[in-house]
């Protein structure tokens, strides 16, 4: 009987990695990657960084050249969309009319940028940033724009603000919370990154929302804030978070709750369907709860876990989450998952532009480390947390103590 093989829905970071890892693992059946964006799988992180300087071409951000897929017998179907899953028949329907059978289906559908339901949000020049197409649209406008308003002080908003400022634009960030990166990092790190942007001339309005976008002849000319101010802008980038693409799973009767729900093996309730990356919510060993993460590491490591399972090496997914963000000259790296209530211990001084924040949970266990321009702390932190090496707040704060030495205990 010919094998139907593995179909991967979504040609992003996770989808690419499932296909590549299946071949690395020696899987010999058909592997088909269906993606609704044109072109080959590419990396998103540069889209809010180097790409906006106008130097990177699409081929520079592609994860692999076309020859890679041919050499590994990976079929890339793009652009095309999976519109429905027939779980009983084990096949998917595509927008083009194709119907493809599968032995196993991997949902790697990612997420879409949220847009506010406000007057004027459809004006030209109001853009979100998720895809290469979005970034290309922002790039073409950045070259003529003088005033940028960034709605939302999250990672993408801050990264875009830093680049635009370097390009000489007037930049204003409007953030509803009382600080930037509120859900993502501790106050000292958020405050440091905000101060760095302000020092470079970026405006930052905290505790402020946007009530509407105003335009002239269909083009953005400003935003009105909850403080009643009209801020002029010829470009607006909205970075207020994402919504996972779950419709396909939901319509197929799979459990969905801000993400496709999967078990510790990244399997849905259907033993022939897995879900990974930005679209999946999984029971995280490192958080003692269900989480849906949005990071390259998460997509890549989950893809590898699924590929290994599909060749008969099933293991619970237990990788330590880590993340990075570049904001101008500053590099933030995060290891682990902190709860907002976790305590905060500084290692080094923010005034030195190099420091880390160690987060400790209620049980005094190290949960996460946020490092600013301190890659050695980050690398040690990954080992300390994943190896569950006991670290005290005093040790964390003691810059004289070599973390690498402590981390070496993890492998003993
Ligand atoms: C601008 C930007 C900057 C980022 N910077 C960083 C960073 O610095 N560090 C970091 O760790 N992470 C960063 N990320 C996050 C990281 O890129 C994502 O976490 C990662 O791409 C998730 O991979 P994924 O495969 O789950 O989803 P995606 O990469 O989003 O891929 C999903 C793909 O599936 C497609 N799709 C959806 N539904 C269907 C369907 N029905 N049929 C066919 N195709 C479908 C989507 O169009 C998309 O192409 C950044 C993200 C963005 C947008």
């Amino acid at each position: 009987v010919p094998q139907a093989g593995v179909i991967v829905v979504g040609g992003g970071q996770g989808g690419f990695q499932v296909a590549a890892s299946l071949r690395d693992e020696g899987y010999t059946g058909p592997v088909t990657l269906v993606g609704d964006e044109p072109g080959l799988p590419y990396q998103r992180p540069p889209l809010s960084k180097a790409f906006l300087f106008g130097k990177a071409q699409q081929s520079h951000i592609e994860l692999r050249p076309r020859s890679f897929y041919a050499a590994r017998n990976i079929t890339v179907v793009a652009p095309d969309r999976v519109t429905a899953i027939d779980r009983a028949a084990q096949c998917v329907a595509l927008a083009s009319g194709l119907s493809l059978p599968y032995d196993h289906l991997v949902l790697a559908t990612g997420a879409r940028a949220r847009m506010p339901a406000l007057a004027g949000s459809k004006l030209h020049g109001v853009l979100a940033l998720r895809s290469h197409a979005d970034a290309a649209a922002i790039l073409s406008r950045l070259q003529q724009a003088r005033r940028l308003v960034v709605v939302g002080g999250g990672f993408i908003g801050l990264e875009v603000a830093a680049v635009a400022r370097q390009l000489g634009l007037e930049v204003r960030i409007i953030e509803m919370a009382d600080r930037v990166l509120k859900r993502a990092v501790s106050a000292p790190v958020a405050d440091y990154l905000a101060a760095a942007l302000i020092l470079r001339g970026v405006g930052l309005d905290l505790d402020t929302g946007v009530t509407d976008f105003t335009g002239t002849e269909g083009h953005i000319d400003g935003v009105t804030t909850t403080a009643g101010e009209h801020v002029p802008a010829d470009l607006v980038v909205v970075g207020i978070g994402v919504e996972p693409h779950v419709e396909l799973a939901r319509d197929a009767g799979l459990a969905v709750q801000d993400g496709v729900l999967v078990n510790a093996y990244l399997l849905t309730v259907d033993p022939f369907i897995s879900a990974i990356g930005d679209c999946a919510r999984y029971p995280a060993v490192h958080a003692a709860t269900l989480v849906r993460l949005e990071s390259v590491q998460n997509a890549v490591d989950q893809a590898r876990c699924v590929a290994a399972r599909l060749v008969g090496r099933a293991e619970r997914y237990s990788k330590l989450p880590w993340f990075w963000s570049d904001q101008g000259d500053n590099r933030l790296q995060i290891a682990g998952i902190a709860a907002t209530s976790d305590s905060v211990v500084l290692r080094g001084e923010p005034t030195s532009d190099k420091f880390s924040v160690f987060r400790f949970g209620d049980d005094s266990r190290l949960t996460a480390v946020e490092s600013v321009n301190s890659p050695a702390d980050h690398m040690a932190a990954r080992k300390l947390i994943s190896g569950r090496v006991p670290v005290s707040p005093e040790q964390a704060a003691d810059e004289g103590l070599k973390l690498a030495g402590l981390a070496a205990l993890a492998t003993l």
Side-chain angles (χ1 to χ4, degrees):
V1 189
Q3 273 182 294
V6 178
I7 293 187
V8 184
V9 190
Q13 188 83 52
F16 158 78
Q17 191 63 52
V18 175
S21 292
L22 277 169
R23 290 302 183 224
D24 291 346
E25 296 279 358
Y27 181 80
T28 53
V31 174
T32 307
L33 193 55
V34 185
D36 62 1
E37 293 185 72
L40 295 172
Y42 61 88
Q43 314 171 51
R44 291 179 206 282
L47 299 179
S48 48
K49 307 175 183 76
F51 185 87
L52 294 181
F53 287 107
K55 289 180 194 138
Q57 306 297 313
Q58 173 150 12
S59 61
H60 294 154
I61 62 169
E62 278 171 1
L63 283 156
R64 293 290 186 284
R66 193 165 291 279
S67 55
F68 175 90
Y69 303 91
R72 281 162 187 76
N73 199 16
I74 295 168
T75 306
V76 180
V77 180
D80 206 343
R81 254 189 95 65
V82 174
T83 53
I85 306 167
D86 183 337
R87 286 168 54 192
Q90 284 186 222
C91 70
V92 291
L94 271 55
S96 60
L98 276 176
S99 172
L100 302 174
Y102 63 81
D103 294 321
H104 199 88
L105 186 70
V106 181
L107 301 175
T109 50
R112 67 176 79 83
R114 279 174 53 203
M115 282 303 272
L118 294 176
S121 60
K122 298 248 158 45
L123 287 164
H124 290 294
V126 180
L127 297 160
L129 176 46
R130 179 73 195 177
S131 65
H132 173 261
D134 296 336
I138 292 173
L139 174 61
S140 76
R141 287 187 159 86
L142 268 180
Q143 283 153 357
Q144 289 106 47
R146 288 192 302 122
R147 295 194 190 105
L148 167 71
V149 165
V150 172
V151 181
F155 288 116
I156 290 178
L158 298 191
E159 290 184 355
V160 172
V163 172
R165 189 65 202 128
Q166 277 177 274
L167 290 172
L169 277 80
E170 228 174 84
V171 181
R172 186 112 159 231
I173 302 169
I174 298 178
E175 166 58 52
M176 224 140 71
D178 56 1
R179 63 173 170 87
V180 299
L181 301 172
K182 179 117 188 189
R183 282 169 306 137
V185 299
S186 63
V189 168
D191 292 346
Y192 173 85
L193 294 171
L197 286 170
I198 291 168
L199 199 66
R200 285 170 181 76
V202 172
L204 174 60
D205 298 39
L206 297 173
D207 295 309
T208 308
V210 169
T211 56
D212 67 346
F213 301 99
T214 60
T216 314
E217 292 171 8
H219 203 285
I220 184 81
D221 65 18
V223 308
T224 316
T225 72
T226 50
E229 190 185 351
H230 184 256
V231 184
D234 39 24
L235 176 62
V236 171
V237 173
V238 178
I240 56 169
V242 300
E243 281 160 9
H245 282 132
V246 296
E247 294 74 12
L248 204 54
R250 188 198 54 208
D251 294 349
L254 300 173
V256 158
Q257 182 198 316
D258 180 37
V260 183
L261 291 179
V262 292
N263 67 13
Y265 295 88
L266 309 176
L267 257 184
T268 66
V269 288
D270 183 324
F272 305 109
I273 305 180
S274 303
I276 60 163
D278 283 18
C279 75
R281 180 172 290 275
Y282 75 100
V285 174
H286 300 278
T289 171
L290 295 178
V291 296
R292 188 179 64 74
L293 299 178
E294 296 158 15
S295 74
V296 168
Q297 171 278 325
N298 181 65
V300 168
D301 284 338
Q302 293 196 335
R304 289 182 174 142
C305 175
V306 168
R309 164 159 49 78
L310 294 178
V311 297
R313 289 195 295 105
E315 260 184 48
R316 286 166 182 271
Y317 179 72
S318 61
K319 289 281 190 266
L320 180 77
W322 56 265
F323 179 79
W324 82 95
S325 169
D326 292 334
Q327 293 168 27
D329 308 331
N330 286 315
R331 167 158 282 206
L332 166 70
Q333 291 168 293
I334 305 174
I337 307 179
T340 41
S341 58
D342 287 0
S343 65
V344 165
V345 174
L346 268 173
R347 180 179 179 86
E349 283 302 320
T351 47
S352 71
D353 300 317
K354 256 175 82 108
F355 67 101
S356 294
V357 167
F358 282 61
R359 311 288 305 270
F360 291 91
D362 296 340
D363 53 0
S364 307
R365 210 165 47 79
L366 181 63
T367 54
V369 176
E370 302 154 4
S371 301
V372 176
N373 304 322
S374 305
D377 282 3
H378 173 71
M379 291 316 290
R382 284 202 215 167
K383 292 188 185 145
L384 291 171
I385 303 171
S386 57
R388 294 178 183 269
V389 178
V391 184
S392 69
E394 293 71 28
Q395 286 174 313
D398 179 1
E399 283 189 273
L401 181 95
K402 289 253 183 302
L403 289 179
L406 203 57
L409 296 173
T411 46
L412 290 182

